[in-house]
């Protein structure tokens, strides 16, 4: 299943000029198992139906050192519920059948994958119909075996590119990425911010020289204004902590509809303010 | 001489080590690696570091023949390497002086660190005062409570101590928080990591800054006994004092290298920090090594009476030394460490840190099984002043 943005099947996803009509593509991150598996399932469907092109299904981890307080709390709640990598894969398999057009990415730290077994994990992810994998603490230098396993199972490796990555690294990152490249908007952990820094646009411009893949900008995108701004220079925006904060505040019953409203709001329909993330 | 464990590729010890970090940090790790390589090749760097180690920290530290302990155990001859006599009270200052000089070379004016027992935090706060650098130390709330004296010392020295309330509120959680700070402020900040943990180049660099322990000890024991010891014994938290004590002896195959982990209060997951008996290979906080974890790859909670050993992973070079059987790893329980502390205090007038007491406990266990021609060299990585609160409670000492 190809990873496609802005619900335009078959579109060669890169756009070189000024974004695309209808705003950038939307990648929605949710922590699986927060507040519980059944609710995550409903949230995921609601997010796709509201216009998310790609879902990042977050695997909760005990030591999420790249995450801010919002996703840390979500991980803690999910772990308290006993959420395992198995459950994330099972959720993906269900979504693949119910929403065949959505891109599905597993978003995780490396240790749960190692413990599951790299090969077992890739086989199970392929079986579930997962499109790609993003491991937060995997860098290209360490990735030989990892890339091998992903390739054998037709999973797209998605890597992070950072404002601090020099051009030579961006070139390597671009060369091994498939699906899209994830450009981190600023130095820092996940979490909301007031405004986008100049880092993001510069990074996307530098990355463009090395890849025709879509470039998604993430970290700190929490408002329709951010979303529109990203559309000016990138193909897609990743929204994570703002969604997770919405889920946290809405509670299990209202979370799916709140997420849907939030995503529609990003697309510029209803201009409701982002939930402030703490 | 160091060839025995020469890294196969940079930052790897057999299969262990490496760099498993968010992309944002890679440029800073590269910068540190280069700065360190340049400093290594610069005689001026070594002159500066050596003179600080000598005139400021108090090196060389004595190798002391513990005659009363030896006599009372009735077996091997016991020598103590007195890292507890260093300025700030533990081996940690060796590494902090080295990294502070590097931070200055890299033009970084803000230093962050994690601390468990507080000894690394105190040593970091100390070098920051010495070099005029801003200092933020992350410390788990549980550790702040049990090592309160060191919290005062850090604040006295002008450091900001930031409490960490996540997880078990101990060392692992403090490292997570320090890494979050580093990812955010990486352009201006040096992360002064306190053990042979984390992503390359830390395990190699921190080990090199502590090699002086074994280098001195080897020369001292040859001077005193004209032969090498039967075994070197050191406690292993992340593993910096142990690797420092072991490293120069690695090619001396006849010398046993014994690392002592925290056996805590039981063998169930969560009750100890014995990574080799209870853990399995995994990735935690930037490096691939043995990790205490559950069947889903979630990192386990740990327990030790000593905050400095209370950590779910272990330096990757120890993992390689373990697998190659060049070093042996064992554990001492909380109770054995407390007994050992009391015993060393009463026989030699030396109160070791609770961390170091784990090494003393192993010495007490094996010395009687050896004969008087055997020599045990125990690294006393730190002194027990910081632990007086715990000791008073656990040993029912009365106060005013
Ligand atoms: C006195 C002392 N010894 C040992 C340790 C454990 O660290 P490492 O294993 O890196 O020597 C600590 C850590 O806080 C310590 O303070």
């Amino acid at each position: 299943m190809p990873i496609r943005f802005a619900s335009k099947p078959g579109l060669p996803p890169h756009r070189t000029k000024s974004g695309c009509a209808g705003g950038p593509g939307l990648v929605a991150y949710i922590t699986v198992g927060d507040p519980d598996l059944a609710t995550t399932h409903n949230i995921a469907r609601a997010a796709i139906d509201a216009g998310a092109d790609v879902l990042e299904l977050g695997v909760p981890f005990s030591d999420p050192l790249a995450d801010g307080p919002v996703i840390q709390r979500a991980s803690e709640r999910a772990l308290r519920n006993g959420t395992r990598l198995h459950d994330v894969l099972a959720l993906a398999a269900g979504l693949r059948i119910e929403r065949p057009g959505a891109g599905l990415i597993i978003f995780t730290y490396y240790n749960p994958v190692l413990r599951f077994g790299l090969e077992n994990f890739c086989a199970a992810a392929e079986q579930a119909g997962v499109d790609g994998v993003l491991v937060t603490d995997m860098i290209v230098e360490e990735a030989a075996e990892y890339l091998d396993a992903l390739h054998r199972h037709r999973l797209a490796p998605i890597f992070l590119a950072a404002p601090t990555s020099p051009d030579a690294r961006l070139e390597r990152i671009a060369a091994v990425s498939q699906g899209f490249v994830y450009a981190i908007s600023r130095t820092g952990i996940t979490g909301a911010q007031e405004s986008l820094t100049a880092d993001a646009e510069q990074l996307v411009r530098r990355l463009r020289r090395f890849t025709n893949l879509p470039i998604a900008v993430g970290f700190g995108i929490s408002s329709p204004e951010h979303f529109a701004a990203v559309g000016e220079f990138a193909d897609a925006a990743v929204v994570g902590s703002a969604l997770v904060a919405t889920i946290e505040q809405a509670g299990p019953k209202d979370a799916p509809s709140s997420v849907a409203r939030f995503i529609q709001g990003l697309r510029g329909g209803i201009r409701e303010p982002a939930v402030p993330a703490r | 001489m160091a060839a025995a464990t020469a890294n196969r590729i940079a930052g790897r010890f057999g299969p262990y080590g490496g760099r498993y970090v968010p992309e944002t940090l890679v440029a800073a790790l590269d910068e540190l690696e280069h700065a360190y390589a340049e400093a290594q090749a610069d005689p001026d760097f070594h002159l500066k570091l050596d003179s600080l180690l000598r005139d400021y920290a108090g090196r060389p530290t004595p190798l002391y023949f513990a005659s009363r302990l030896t006599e009372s155990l009735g077996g091997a001859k016991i020598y103590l390497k007195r890292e507890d006599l260093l300025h700030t009270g533990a081996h940690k200052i060796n590494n902090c002086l080295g990294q502070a000089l590097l931070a200055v070379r890299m033009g970084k004016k803000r230093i962050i660190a994690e601390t468990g027992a507080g000894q690394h935090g105190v040593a970091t706060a100390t070098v920051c005062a010495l070099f005029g650098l801003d200092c933020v130390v992350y410390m788990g709330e549980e550790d702040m409570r049990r090592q309160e004296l060191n919290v005062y010392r850090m604040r006295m020295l002008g450091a900001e101590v930031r409490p960490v309330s996540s997880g078990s509120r101990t060392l692992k959680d403090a490292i997570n928080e320090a890494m979050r700070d580093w990812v955010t402020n990486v352009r201006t900040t040096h992360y002064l990591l306190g053990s042979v943990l984390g992503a390359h180049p830390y395990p190699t660099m921190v080990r090199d800054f502590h090699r002086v322990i074994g280098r001195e000890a080897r020369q001292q024991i040859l001077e005193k006994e004209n032969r090498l010891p039967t075994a070197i014994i050191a406690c292993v938290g992340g593993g910096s004092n142990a690797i420092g004590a072991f490293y120069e002896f690695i090619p001396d195959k006849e010398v046993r290298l014994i690392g002592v982990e925290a056996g805590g209060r039981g063998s169930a997951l969560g009750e100890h920090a014995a990574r080799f008996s209870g853990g399995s290979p995994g990735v935690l906080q930037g490096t691939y090594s043995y990790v205490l974890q559950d069947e889903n790859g979630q990192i386990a909670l740990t327990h030790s009476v000593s905050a400095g050993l209370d950590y779910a992973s272990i330096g990757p070079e120890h993992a390689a030394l373990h697998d190659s059987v060049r070093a042996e790893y064992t554990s001492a329980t909380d109770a054995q460490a407390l007994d050992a502390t009391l015993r060393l205090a009463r026989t030699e007038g030396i109160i070791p840190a609770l961390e170091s007491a784990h090494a003393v406990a192993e010495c007490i266990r094996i010395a009687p099984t050896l004969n008087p021609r055997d020599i045990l060299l125990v690294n006393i990585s730190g002194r027990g002043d910081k632990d007086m609160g715990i000791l008073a409670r656990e040993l029912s000492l009365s106060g005013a």
Side-chain angles (χ1 to χ4, degrees):
Chain A
M1 183 61 47
I3 293 164
R4 303 166 301 193
F5 288 114
S7 309
K8 294 186 180 170
L11 186 77
H14 86 278
R15 295 168 196 86
T16 44
K17 291 178 203 73
S18 58
C20 54
L26 174 61
V27 180
Y29 168 93
I30 49 180
T31 301
V32 175
D34 170 41
D36 57 69
L37 276 173
T39 307
T40 301
H41 198 155
N42 291 332
I43 292 170
R45 280 188 295 239
I48 294 166
D49 296 344
D53 302 285
V54 175
L55 276 194
E56 288 181 346
L57 300 173
V59 179
F61 183 51
S62 54
D63 293 84
L65 56 77
D67 286 298
V70 170
I71 293 178
Q72 287 177 47
R73 287 198 300 269
S75 300
E76 282 168 22
R77 287 190 294 268
L79 288 176
R80 244 181 275 127
N81 291 334
T83 311
R84 305 156 306 159
L85 184 47
H86 274 290
D87 303 313
V88 180
L89 292 165
L91 174 66
L95 290 170
R96 172 50 66 233
I97 292 163
E98 297 159 357
R99 299 292 185 273
L104 298 176
I105 309 285
I106 304 290
F107 189 102
T108 185
Y109 289 82
Y110 197 34
N111 201 54
V113 170
L114 271 179
R115 184 67 193 209
F116 198 96
L118 181 58
E119 176 59 30
N120 287 347
F121 165 74
C122 290
E126 180 183 25
Q127 180 91 48
V130 165
D131 298 300
V133 180
L134 195 165
V135 173
T136 344
D137 47 359
M138 175 59 70
I139 60 171
V140 287
E141 286 84 350
E142 299 290 359
E145 209 188 332
Y146 167 80
L147 284 171
D148 220 50
L150 262 63
H151 289 155
R152 268 185 283 110
H153 293 282
R154 289 183 288 276
L155 297 163
I158 294 155
F159 284 90
L160 300 168
T164 50
S165 312
D167 285 354
R169 291 191 60 75
L170 293 185
E171 190 169 5
R172 281 187 79 172
I173 289 166
V176 296
S177 294
Q178 291 171 14
F180 63 94
V181 182
Y182 188 138
I184 303 175
S185 71
R186 52 169 159 78
T187 62
I189 51 179
T190 58
Q193 63 189 348
E194 287 296 304
S195 59
L196 281 178
T197 66
D199 275 357
E201 188 168 355
Q202 264 172 31
L203 173 58
V204 171
R205 200 173 319 120
R206 288 198 295 131
L207 259 174
R208 274 292 183 229
R209 301 188 1 238
F210 305 116
T211 185
N212 288 328
L213 288 172
I215 298 172
V217 172
F219 280 37
I221 296 179
S222 57
S223 70
E225 290 72 25
H226 294 161
F227 188 70
V230 167
E232 295 298 313
F233 59 87
D235 303 294
V238 189
V239 181
S241 294
L243 278 184
V244 174
T246 302
I247 293 165
E248 183 174 52
Q249 292 184 6
K253 197 163 67 63
D254 295 330
S257 57
S258 297
V259 164
R261 262 200 314 283
F262 185 82
I263 288 176
Q264 286 152 1
L266 286 178
R267 287 261 185 237
I270 326 147
R271 294 181 80 82
E272 75 174 343
V275 178
R278 282 175 311 233
Chain B
M1 163 211 54
T5 54
N7 305 352
R8 253 200 346 224
I9 53 169
R12 285 277 172 187
F13 308 93
Y16 302 108
R19 241 185 217 181
Y20 298 90
V21 291
E23 172 64 23
T24 306
L25 294 179
V26 178
L29 291 166
D30 280 340
E31 180 190 11
L32 180 60
E33 186 178 358
H34 291 143
Y36 178 55
E38 266 177 35
Q40 285 280 74
D42 178 0
D44 187 51
F45 177 81
H46 292 284
L47 277 177
K48 273 194 188 131
L49 181 55
D50 289 349
S51 89
L52 284 166
L53 287 172
R54 185 183 62 239
D55 301 333
Y56 186 74
R59 302 213 72 92
T61 58
L63 185 71
Y64 165 72
F65 172 50
S67 61
R68 295 224 321 135
L69 184 65
T70 297
E71 209 176 301
S72 80
L73 291 170
K77 259 180 123 165
I78 297 162
Y79 280 89
L80 307 179
K81 180 62 174 163
R82 300 291 309 275
E83 294 294 294
D84 59 312
L85 293 177
L86 285 170
H87 181 44
T88 70
H91 68 293
K92 300 284 181 187
I93 191 81
N94 300 329
N95 169 49
C96 289
L97 285 168
Q99 285 199 48
L101 286 177
L102 281 181
V104 171
R105 282 174 84 99
M106 292 187 291
K108 307 245 167 157
K109 300 210 168 7
R110 179 174 181 269
I111 301 291
I112 57 171
E114 83 296 339
T115 196
Q119 287 302 125
H120 175 60
V122 168
T124 302
T126 298
V127 299
C128 287
L130 180 65
F131 290 99
L133 304 167
D134 291 337
C135 181
V136 174
V137 179
Y138 291 92
M139 189 169 188
E141 281 177 348
E142 166 66 11
D143 289 340
M144 287 180 72
R145 189 188 57 72
R146 57 180 167 168
Q147 308 276 233
E148 189 176 23
L149 200 62
N150 278 342
V151 177
Y152 293 131
R153 293 170 79 196
M154 288 184 267
R155 288 182 171 150
M156 180 74 200
L157 290 158
E160 180 188 342
V161 182
R162 293 192 185 161
V164 176
S165 59
S166 55
S168 53
R169 294 171 288 124
T170 55
L171 180 57
K172 169 172 75 68
D173 314 292
I175 296 180
N176 285 337
E177 219 40 55
M179 290 194 67
R180 291 181 185 122
D181 181 316
W182 202 29
V183 169
T184 308
N185 301 300
V186 60
R187 287 172 170 129
T188 58
T189 298
H190 173 64
Y191 180 12
L192 208 166
L193 184 59
S195 191
V196 284
L197 296 168
H200 178 64
Y202 284 103
T204 304
M205 179 180 72
V206 176
R207 175 251 280 154
D208 287 349
F209 287 138
H210 285 300
R211 281 172 64 175
V212 63
I213 303 171
R215 203 178 307 134
E216 287 173 6
R218 197 171 187 286
Q219 199 184 335
Q220 289 164 322
I221 198 72
L222 287 174
E223 276 163 17
K224 288 180 198 293
E225 293 282 346
N226 201 26
R227 61 201 167 96
L228 293 172
T230 310
I232 319 279
I233 306 175
C235 68
V236 191
S240 67
N241 88 88
I243 203 78
F246 292 172
Y247 201 73
E248 302 303 313
F249 294 93
I250 288 174
D252 305 313
K253 292 283 191 266
E254 70 277 24
V255 178
R256 291 171 62 192
L257 308 175
I258 304 175
V260 188
E261 300 181 273
R265 58 192 167 203
S267 58
L269 199 61
E271 296 297 306
H272 64 85
R275 287 68 46 105
F276 287 126
S277 59
S280 55
V283 164
L284 178 63
Q285 296 174 332
T287 194
Y288 179 61
S289 185
Y290 281 73
V291 180
L292 290 166
Q293 55 183 317
D294 71 12
E295 67 279 9
N296 297 308
Q298 304 297 340
I299 308 308
L301 299 181
T302 52
H303 164 82
S304 171
V305 69
S306 97
L309 306 187
D310 196 353
Y311 180 65
S313 187
I314 185 165
E317 192 163 14
H318 286 289
L321 287 170
H322 169 267
D323 285 9
S324 70
V325 208
R326 177 61 192 95
E328 309 155 45
Y329 295 86
T330 176
S331 61
T333 63
D334 287 355
Q336 288 166 330
L338 287 162
D339 283 351
T341 307
L342 192 62
R343 180 129 187 193
L344 192 64
R346 299 283 165 91
T347 53
E348 297 290 348
I350 295 170
I351 305 174
L354 279 172
E355 289 77 17
S356 323
H358 286 69
V360 177
E362 176 64 9
C363 166
I364 290 171
R365 199 178 68 78
I366 66 173
T369 70
L370 300 171
N371 71 55
R373 270 206 46 82
D374 286 311
I375 298 169
L376 292 178
L377 199 160
V378 184
N379 196 36
I380 306 297
S381 55
R383 57 180 178 244
D385 308 28
K386 69 184 177 61
D387 297 316
M388 286 322 300
I390 298 169
L391 291 171
R393 198 170 53 251
E394 296 289 335
L395 304 174
S396 308
L397 308 174
S398 52

